[in-house]
Amino acid sequence: MSAGLQPTDGFLARVVEGRALAEQGDFRASEEHFRALLDEAREEHAGNHAMAMQSLITLYGRGGRYLEAHMLARRLAQRAREEGPAADKVLAFALGAICGALSQLDLDQPLGEALSDLRTVLDRAPVPLTNLELEYLAAAGVHARGRGDHELARRHWSEYRRIVQETEGLEQVFHWAMTMGGAQLAYHEGNYPLARHLVGQLGAGSETPPFHRLKELALTVSVHAALGERDEARPLAREALDILRFVKDEEGLASGRIHEGAVLARELERLNEWGLAASAYDLVAAAVLIRLRQVDACTRELPELGLDDAESSAVLGRFRHQFVREQQVLLRRVAAVYEARGDEFIQSLIGRGAAEGFVSICAWCESVRPEDGRWLPLGHFIPRDGTFDVTHAICPPCADAMQKTSA
Ligand SMILES: [Zn+2]
């Protein structure tokens, strides 16, 4: 039997191989490895199956694929509950992942419920589950901040920092998350000098993965934008755009690119840096298309994402709805950026991208024109892989309509 959903030693060794791939930054190979393990363990060994799910949940969480992480974690939590108290550790892990995903997906009510479930399991654990306690505090902080309760958010963050500093071996691992959490909090409280000071500590001398650097830059540009410091923001924004281009081939990070890229674009708009903002929007649009493809493939291929119950369907429906809405907001902004540059500029957008082999998106109606093809509605184009560039343009019908209204 698989009391407590324990994996076998041999299986664990292969899980470690998959983790090493992710450590090296090869998210795609790591995902393939874990999905092969998942296929193998399904119906065969409950503990190994649970371990394969845990590995994928962690990987998806790191890559910002919160929808997949959330759905898998719900399946894992369900399995752990069936097993009873012996599987409490697995249950706490699953609930921690659900809280982490929901706090990123910005779903307030289910997050509140998941946090209270996690609190219950953590409180009855015979030994403290330190990492999951940190997961709880981070998500609870986001929850409080989302409700405008900065004081509670700060208390959660202080407690997070206390645990990290007092537990041996944690300072190194959690230093970045801890400092970044403090900087974000300071930014949301309007304490820009403190936010800048904290982010400044991160860059100093450490070897930062590009994606962490991107988050640091996005926040620093936000601080400069809030203070109206255009000259200071510009070189940092350029560095961030370089990273967005650089991580373009890393599909595992598409979701994070959408978020950081959108933050960057909005701040560049605030600074009246239209050209840089338009570049950021193009890069975000490419990530959006990749992300649609990922979700589509994952929900088809992984039975664990199970859409057979009402709540899973509701979450997926909500994700799609949110996703479409975000896409529309994004395009409205791009259209506004273009319209501000006048009719002549808009006319120059007709046919833009086709000659260079770009995928073009009409910023007015969401139509997509794949490389060299004809205009299609957004949902009808799903890219085969991540190797394409996107540019925002205008489709002929929208260009005609625009000319009529301005004539
Ligand atoms: Zn159009």
Side-chain angles (χ1 to χ4, degrees):
M1 266 309 287
S2 59
L5 295 174
Q6 287 295 320
T8 61
D9 288 346
F11 196 82
L12 207 51
R14 289 161 68 203
V15 163
V16 172
E17 287 169 26
R19 284 186 195 150
L21 289 169
E23 285 309 317
Q24 291 156 21
D26 196 341
F27 282 75
R28 204 183 309 202
S30 181
E31 186 190 4
E32 270 171 30
H33 184 89
F34 288 138
R35 279 172 66 159
L37 291 182
L38 190 72
D39 285 339
E40 180 188 309
R42 192 182 293 130
E43 321 285 340
E44 290 299 320
H45 191 287
N48 288 352
H49 186 227
M51 179 45 81
M53 280 201 269
Q54 286 195 46
S55 307
L56 268 178
I57 290 165
T58 304
L59 186 74
Y60 288 152
R62 281 183 63 183
R65 294 172 64 177
Y66 301 114
L67 175 81
E68 293 95 320
H70 175 267
M71 304 284 258
L72 270 178
R74 282 200 51 229
R75 180 52 51 97
L76 183 63
Q78 186 188 44
R79 188 66 199 82
R81 283 200 170 101
E82 287 163 14
E83 201 75 11
D88 255 6
K89 221 173 139 180
V90 176
L91 179 59
F93 170 89
L95 290 170
I98 290 171
C99 290
L102 289 173
S103 66
Q104 298 293 334
L105 290 169
D106 229 3
L107 294 168
D108 182 69
Q109 198 207 333
L111 174 57
E113 288 161 16
L115 279 168
S116 116
D117 284 354
L118 176 58
R119 191 66 264 158
T120 308
V121 182
L122 288 176
D123 286 344
R124 74 180 178 221
V127 236
L129 299 167
T130 309
N131 284 7
L132 295 170
E133 188 69 45
L134 293 176
E135 195 100 39
Y136 171 84
L137 290 168
V142 172
H143 190 237
R145 206 175 70 198
R147 301 182 146 223
D149 192 341
H150 291 293
E151 198 187 312
L152 182 59
R154 184 155 284 282
R155 275 213 301 279
H156 286 312
W157 183 71
S158 299
E159 178 63 5
Y160 185 102
R161 192 175 56 173
R162 188 191 64 76
I163 294 176
V164 168
Q165 285 172 342
E166 287 177 6
T167 314
E168 207 172 322
L170 280 190
E171 177 99 48
Q172 193 85 17
V173 184
F174 287 93
H175 175 75
W176 191 87
M178 188 179 79
T179 312
M180 195 65 185
Q184 272 161 343
L185 199 57
Y187 174 78
H188 284 283
E189 286 174 340
N191 190 343
Y192 304 123
L194 178 61
R196 177 162 40 190
H197 170 72
L198 288 170
V199 188
Q201 287 186 332
L202 287 169
S206 64
E207 221 179 274
T208 317
F211 207 66
H212 279 185
R213 181 72 187 138
L214 178 62
K215 280 178 174 275
E216 294 166 23
L217 287 165
L219 185 61
T220 316
V221 170
S222 299
V223 169
H224 287 310
L227 296 171
E229 298 170 346
R230 191 171 165 178
D231 290 339
E232 285 86 344
R234 207 178 294 124
L236 298 170
R238 289 221 170 85
E239 187 187 341
L241 288 174
D242 283 343
I243 295 175
L244 279 172
R245 283 188 201 101
F246 169 77
V247 295
K248 191 172 79 66
D249 297 331
E250 185 44 80
E251 289 188 42
L253 298 176
S255 178
R257 278 163 53 203
I258 298 174
H259 183 253
E260 301 310 321
V263 168
L264 196 65
R266 211 170 45 234
E267 300 300 349
L268 286 166
E269 261 191 71
R270 260 168 86 179
L271 288 162
N272 295 329
E273 290 283 353
W274 305 115
L276 291 176
S279 298
Y281 281 127
D282 286 349
L283 290 162
V284 172
V288 166
L289 290 174
I290 291 172
R291 187 74 189 110
L292 280 176
R293 187 174 68 82
Q294 277 177 345
V295 170
D296 185 66
C298 226
T299 47
R300 263 187 294 111
E301 291 162 13
L302 285 186
E304 284 79 3
L305 290 181
L307 303 169
D308 49 353
D309 68 286
E311 198 182 323
S312 294
S313 306
V315 169
L316 184 65
R318 193 153 174 182
F319 170 82
R320 285 198 194 283
H321 181 72
Q322 210 170 29
F323 202 84
V324 168
R325 209 179 46 212
E326 277 170 13
Q327 170 80 357
Q328 284 166 346
V329 169
L330 196 85
L331 284 176
R332 266 201 294 277
R333 299 188 94 100
V334 177
V337 168
Y338 286 164
E339 281 168 20
R341 296 172 78 170
D343 289 345
E344 216 167 295
F345 180 77
I346 290 173
Q347 292 304 314
S348 79
L349 293 171
I350 301 172
R352 185 187 195 186
E356 301 95 322
F358 280 53
V359 171
S360 303
I361 297 179
C362 175
W364 283 264
C365 74
E366 303 181 27
S367 295
V368 180
R369 184 187 54 208
E371 304 93 323
D372 205 26
R374 71 174 98 168
W375 290 93
L376 300 167
L378 178 65
H380 291 234
F381 170 67
I382 293 178
R384 275 188 314 277
D385 55 37
T387 57
F388 60 90
D389 287 301
V390 166
T391 185
H392 285 94
I394 190 166
C395 74
C398 286
D400 286 349
M402 189 88 56
Q403 245 179 348
K404 271 182 205 126
T405 49
S406 65

